[in-house]
Amino acid sequence: MKKEYLYRGLFYFLGLLILAFGITLNTKTGLGVSPIISVAYCISTIRNLNFGNITLLLYSSFVVVELILHARQKEKLIFLKDILQIPLSLIFTRFLNLFSYMIPDLKSAYPDQFAGSMTGRILFLVFAIILTGIVAAMSLNMRIIPNPGDGIVQAIADCIHKSTGFTKNCFDLLCITITIIIGLISTGHLVGIGIGTVLAVIGVGRSIAAFNHFCFHPMARLAGLER
């Protein structure tokens, strides 16, 4: 039993750690970021603010919405999972700051090298999207504390009685719309929205599905979630 809890915690922690790396690498390609963090990225870029700190504020607002939507259920476990997303977000966004410091902007740091070329940046983008999907699945499958970006989608889906996939698509569209409006009003052009945003919408979900097809049951057995 202790061994199973160890595997569960390990998969969850590694999932969050590498997820922060994948999200950061996505932003460093300069080709557009994933919808769920596009608002935070846009604001931090325009105002020259810390990306991790703005993401923490965004995630905290997600948790507040979750608490409001879950208020009628009056289940202590759901309430506790909502509240624990705030310290989780604090840790997660510190990793975002760490990786943002460690990973340079590919286009500006390597203008005359493969990593800074359009082909190189697209390949790094595809790698980041696949990696993000895989590690998001790892942390989600452990059923511990959801990332606020996933938590708010699930809370809204439960509230409106729609599928998680449909709700996720609608929420992504909302985030993209808000980011476009902020960018156009503040700078007159798009900030954080590009081919990477479109690929993230399509690719992350497909990566999660592919990873779960091959790895969900072996991981679940190791973590004691299946017998």
Side-chain angles (χ1 to χ4, degrees):
M1 184 64 68
K2 289 183 179 180
K3 187 176 180 181
E4 291 174 347
Y5 282 125
L6 178 63
Y7 275 120
R8 192 173 180 182
L10 179 63
F11 288 141
Y12 179 77
F13 177 76
L14 284 178
L16 290 178
L17 179 64
I18 305 174
L19 177 61
F21 174 80
I23 289 175
T24 306
L25 182 59
N26 190 333
T27 66
K28 296 297 183 175
T29 63
L31 296 172
V33 302
S34 60
I36 203 73
I37 61 160
S38 61
V39 176
Y41 179 81
C42 180
I43 293 173
S44 64
T45 300
I46 292 172
R47 300 299 180 187
N48 195 28
L49 299 172
N50 183 278
F51 173 54
N53 292 344
I54 300 301
T55 303
L56 177 60
L57 291 176
L58 177 70
Y59 279 179
S60 297
S61 68
F62 287 172
V63 174
V64 171
V65 174
E66 290 177 54
L67 288 170
I68 293 172
L69 294 178
H70 287 147
R72 294 182 179 180
Q73 298 186 25
K74 298 180 180 179
E75 293 186 23
K76 292 183 178 180
L77 182 58
I78 293 178
F79 179 80
L80 180 61
K81 282 190 174 183
D82 289 345
I83 290 295
L84 288 177
Q85 288 178 45
I86 294 179
L88 168 68
S89 299
L90 179 61
I91 297 171
F92 180 76
T93 54
R94 296 317 93 185
F95 282 126
L96 283 181
N97 280 343
L98 176 62
F99 290 130
S100 293
Y101 174 76
M102 294 173 60
I103 304 173
D105 293 325
L106 298 181
K107 184 177 181 180
S108 58
Y110 309 103
D112 301 320
Q113 301 177 38
F114 176 76
S117 68
M118 179 58 72
T119 301
R121 287 157 59 205
I122 289 177
L123 287 177
F124 274 108
L125 173 66
V126 171
F127 172 72
I129 289 173
I130 294 174
L131 187 66
T132 298
I134 290 173
V135 297
M138 286 176 61
S139 57
L140 284 172
N141 292 345
M142 294 304 101
R143 304 173 193 172
I144 301 179
I145 304 170
N147 182 291
D150 298 314
I152 190 172
V153 169
Q154 188 61 61
I156 294 173
D158 293 341
C159 183
I160 64 177
H161 305 293
K162 297 292 184 179
S163 69
T164 303
F166 172 79
T167 307
K168 170 66 172 172
N169 290 336
C170 292
F171 192 74
D172 282 348
L173 183 60
L174 174 63
C175 291
I176 291 171
T177 302
I178 294 173
T179 302
I180 290 174
I181 292 173
I182 293 174
L184 291 178
I185 291 176
S186 301
T187 67
H189 58 82
L190 299 180
V191 178
I193 302 296
I195 186 174
T197 309
V198 178
L199 291 178
V201 171
I202 301 171
V204 172
R206 293 304 86 207
S207 297
I208 290 174
F211 178 81
N212 281 339
H213 177 75
F214 293 104
C215 302
F216 174 78
H217 294 295
M219 286 182 60
R221 284 192 290 270
L222 282 173
L225 299 174
E226 282 187 358
R227 300 296 179 185

